[in-house]
Amino acid sequence: MAAALPAAARLWRQPARPASRAVALPAPPRRACVRGEPAEGGGGGRHDTRAPLRTSARRGAMGRAGRRLPALAAVFYGALAALVLLGVRDVLFLYEENRCSMTYMYEYPEYLKIKLPKKTARRYPAYELYLYGEGNYAEENKNLLLTGIPVLFLPGNAGSYKQVRSLGSIALRKAEDVDFKYHFNFFSVNFNEELVALYGGSLQQQTKFVHECIKVILKLYRDQEFAPTSVAIVGHSMGGLVARALLTLKNFKPELINLLITQATPHVAPVMPLDKYLTDFYTAVNNHWILKAQDLRNLTTLSVAGGFRDYQVRSGLAFLPRLSQHDSALSVVSSAVPRAWASTDHLSIVWCKELILATIRAFFDLIDENTRQITEDPKKRMSVLHHHFVRHPAKTFEENPEAFTELTGAFMWIPVKASKWTYSVYNVSNVFFLIVFLCVFFLLMSNFFFLLRILMENISHFLLQATENHTVMFTVKTDTSSWIYGCMNSNSSMCLEATDLSWRAELLPTTKVVILKLQDYTSLSHIVIQVPPTVGNKYTLDCEFFREDSRTVQLPVTHLFSFGLSSSKILLNSTGLLYNVQLQHFNRIYQAFKIYIESHCQSLKERKPSVYRLHVPWSHEDSIIVAKVPSFTEISAKLHIAQPQNDSRVPELNIYSSSDCQYEVILKTSVLQVLGQIIRFHAGALPVYVVSNIFLTYGGQLSTLMSTGQCSDFPLELVRTAKPYKVEPLISIVVFLQGFNWFREIWESLSLPEVDAAVLSSQDAWFPLVSLILFVFGTGIAYWSGVFFSTSLRLFSSLWLTLIRPTVLQKDNKLITPRRLCGVLSLALVSWTTCGAFAVFIIYLQYLFKVIKLHVNVRAEQNMLNGDSDCSKETSQNSSIYTVKNQSSTDSTLKATQSLSNSTTIAEAVNSLKMHVTILNLFTWIVLLNLPSLIYWLKNLRYSVRLDPDPCRSTAIILVCILEILMNSSTSEVKSSKLLKIAAKVPLPLSVAMLAFGRMHLYKSQKSAQHLNFSGI
């Protein structure tokens, strides 16, 4: 009998096995346990050793099979976790280098606190308003006699009011350049660095405070000659959303703001929808801007996204909702902004010098000379923003440019017999004009003239057809003045009057380009290029006539499942200045490619760099790379916005090439970047998939407990029960049926919300396999989080055993005691009077402490049981030698019986421990989702003891009551429950509901967990 006990103890330490191998630990025959022990009722006889050997062999084979399955599962889920980490690595680390320059203050920055009305200060004690200044300018503004143009900066999530310094400093330098004819006063709001991107309870409060600040700011200018009637707003991150929310206030006058610039603001949806207040705030703002779009036409809005360097707010979220896109709204990515051409991370967008310069230049161009404030003309505001943020023509903005310009001078003609030619000049101190006749080229110079001309009879065939089917293209080095003109119907060798065509040009890095379709300029007889002085520099002009279709090449992209093993390739023998490579079938956000461009040239002479631009026609998200020639360049091709359904345009790779060079373009699917796109667009939904997998595992444990009487380990049960086919087909069927009106009417009559997958599909952020991929990723994360959690418990219990002597396992027959009831009431009071997340965190720590304590006691009892078994075995052997001592044999039997009882208690404790570990693992994710509101409450504790509004107050009270019961229950009580059969079936529908409605509403996972824990009772 005694020899059976070590084996039983070892069995309880192993993972749970199927029912056929479950051990009920009955009192076995003594001879089956101890070979040297005599049979009952007789002396020593032959010992039957075959049955123990067969049992041992069977157990060994089954143990090897049982060990093989966890090993394979660990390898499989380890591979899944590795894929997730590769995607995270692509998002967080594999992006273009930071090409932004840092902005510097030339004088010490100062922030003057603006005194607010007592009522406002009392209502919003945590918020403040500041005025930015430097040096003498700051000293002059201390008396608040302001004469400039007011601009209000709103920081974002955990942002500081001091982030206004880059805008304020560069605007001050720009004002000095114009002798303070115009200048701006930059104000900034201190939101106490609140985590409004994760806790939405304070967004409405911030919006109302900004309204009060606008009224205070405008009062500061009340007695000035050019007093402003509106304020321009620059909002970073969530500050831009707060600015948009101003228009939803009932008592807000829309004319108080006429210009809004947002930087990396998630307009479409929250990055992490952790509470109902956050999602409701977004819904209210976006619905207002969509339904009241016509009423907002007086407000000009610019949204600037950071590009792929910004992993906190992906650029797709920063684009204003499409239905609100009207003539006064514009969305761009910083990589496409002229003269910046750089992606920015979430913080550098507020100090990136190139981007801040574009913003300040736009501010000064927006000034109305009559009112000395920002113009009230919406068309001019949009023209200025397009000029600086979309297509810069390489010249200073002019509101009403002159229709014609006078050109004077003498002319000299020199023949040029080529359709493509290059003109270079060194160290010229005088301005001269290079004149191109549409079929005859000629050059005009001031004081020193010579003329280039091609006679009609010497023009090639395609030039004769240029008036309808050809394009003329000029490229020159950069300059910011007018440089290209069109002469109207001049038949002489002089062009006295011309129209300015510089507005048709486009500024690119190292060059400026103008492409003219000749069919649009049939009335022009000459093209005139003004060459500026080039003292100490080289001026280069490239010109050619070409057919557009001859420079357009189609390149089909590789399939997603080619995994980079196949490629698409084209070879361009450059004879011109521009090639357009159309990327066919490149229109979805989950597509990602690597484009390799290798340039070879026939000669080694110095050449101007090549410019590669990835142009996305349906959104302003272009990216530009400058490469030396010859060179090997790698370009990442992926989208922020999917192609709209009604848009048939194709993304293009524009290659501004060098003549007589060969370009080889190779395109391959990038698996790592595909994973990165999945993580970038759907990482916020991964907690939902993890919790859904835990739900399924918990249901499997309840089913195993009901059928075998034992609770299986979390990792093994996860492998067995967490299958995507249990949940995904049902959601897909519902999404499919919602396409029918009759089903949609029934669905709405039941007051059920729309399935998140359908909403994401309407936003072009969903594709058929993404849910399956995310579910498998969630399974891998759940598996390794469970392993990590169990390992951490073992480490804590080991530390506990070395420091504290464990207590004896005791069975508590009462779930509710006066002491526990008082604890529940105390935590409920804490939740109601302070913060619900604080009460949840306390009950979590209490639960964690009890589970660690249970783990310590189980390990201690198992160690004691092993020691007792060895002692019992030794006593039994002694009794077989000294048979005359019958009393010793009786004592051995009593000890074995006691050890058997202890092993049964330990087995029940082990089952309970497995169940508690699963519940605690689930509860850990719930606590993590509630941490933002807890952090917010702790930061604002000095202002208010009670968090209001509290997103988890009522949920916390229910969770405290449920978990207080669960942490004191055992599997024996669960097995005896009549509702166990029903409770085992509850997790599956909860898992389906989580995936159907929780992807865009993470806070719903708390309610699902609440229902699951309730079913566990």
Side-chain angles (χ1 to χ4, degrees), residues 368-379:
D368 188 336
E369 294 184 357
N370 297 323
T371 63
R372 296 195 177 184
Q373 297 293 327
I374 291 180
T375 179
E376 296 295 332
D377 184 3
K379 291 184 178 180

Side-chain angles (χ1 to χ4, degrees), residues 102-145:
M102 176 66 75
T103 52
Y104 296 96
M105 283 77 251
Y106 291 90
E107 297 178 274
Y108 188 78
E110 296 185 26
Y111 304 89
L112 178 63
K113 186 176 180 180
I114 304 299
K115 186 177 180 180
L116 300 173
K118 293 183 179 180
K119 183 178 179 181
T120 303
R122 186 168 53 251
R123 183 178 300 176
Y124 310 101
Y127 301 156
E128 297 169 323
L129 177 64
Y130 288 89
L131 173 64
Y132 177 82
E134 292 180 15
N136 295 331
Y137 172 74
E139 291 294 329
E140 294 173 359
N141 288 336
K142 286 186 176 180
N143 56 10
L144 294 180
L145 298 177

Side-chain angles (χ1 to χ4, degrees), residues 588-640:
R588 294 298 166 208
I589 52 98
Y590 56 83
Q591 295 175 298
F593 307 97
K594 284 288 188 181
I595 301 177
Y596 304 97
I597 304 177
E598 187 172 5
S599 58
H600 303 279
C601 299
Q602 297 178 358
S603 61
L604 299 178
K605 67 178 182 179
E606 183 182 356
R607 300 174 184 273
K608 66 182 181 66
S610 295
V611 178
Y612 308 136
R613 176 170 63 180
L614 182 63
H615 174 60
V616 181
W618 56 79
S619 61
H620 302 294
E621 55 176 285
D622 295 3
S623 58
I624 296 179
I625 294 178
V626 180
K628 296 181 179 179
V629 179
S631 65
F632 182 82
T633 306
E634 179 182 304
I635 301 175
S636 296
K638 45 194 174 183
L639 299 175
H640 298 290

